Amino acid sequence: MAWTQSGEFVESDVVEWTEAIWPRRTARRRKSKPRPVGKQKVTAQITEIDGDFIKLTVLKSELLENTVARELLPHKVGTVITKKCTTLLRGEPQRLHWSEEDVRMALLK
């Protein structure tokens, strides 16, 4: 289980957060510091917690901001992504409530 500001993550939790979209690394941009090219809001289900790393399956992803002229693609639905817990906390994650919170509380114990 990973510690968050509001408690702990449990496998099967559905979390929602915002994150920056970074440009792809190219040889010509090595000298300048990269800047985010947009923002996306991601909703994903936790499938595995391994130490500081959390594996999530993307359920929904929408583009919030685009600061470049080209089209940006948010995460694809169904994609499995791995995030470090501290990285996920930067996006101020919100856990979506379960229909049966007492079952979740039993998993925490």
Side-chain angles (χ1 to χ4, degrees):
M1 288 181 238
W3 179 256
T4 66
Q5 295 165 343
S6 61
E8 295 182 349
F9 287 137
V10 177
E11 286 184 22
S12 300
D13 272 349
V14 176
V15 291
E16 187 173 75
W17 74 96
T18 57
E19 67 182 14
I21 300 174
W22 294 92
R24 298 203 185 274
R25 294 183 186 195
T26 59
R28 63 183 167 177
R29 294 213 48 169
R30 285 188 183 168
K31 292 183 181 182
S32 63
K33 185 176 178 182
R35 296 197 175 154
V37 294
K39 283 187 179 179
Q40 64 183 340
K41 185 175 193 175
V42 183
T43 305
Q45 183 174 13
I46 298 174
T47 55
E48 184 182 338
I49 299 173
D50 184 22
D52 285 344
F53 294 94
I54 301 173
K55 283 192 179 184
L56 305 123
T57 302
V58 177
L59 302 174
K60 181 180 171 185
S61 183
E62 63 181 284
L63 193 62
L64 298 177
E65 184 180 308
N66 184 351
T67 59
V68 293
R70 70 181 194 282
E71 181 182 359
L72 296 178
L73 300 174
H75 292 299
K76 291 182 181 179
V77 173
T79 306
V80 176
I81 56 175
T82 304
K83 296 275 182 188
K84 197 166 184 181
C85 185
T86 53
T87 304
L88 191 61
L89 289 174
R90 280 189 223 146
E92 299 175 3
Q94 297 178 353
R95 182 182 63 83
L96 303 181
H97 292 283
W98 289 26
S99 58
E100 299 194 14
E101 281 289 318
D102 54 335
V103 175
R104 183 182 184 280
M105 291 309 242
L107 288 174
L108 280 172
K109 295 180 182 182

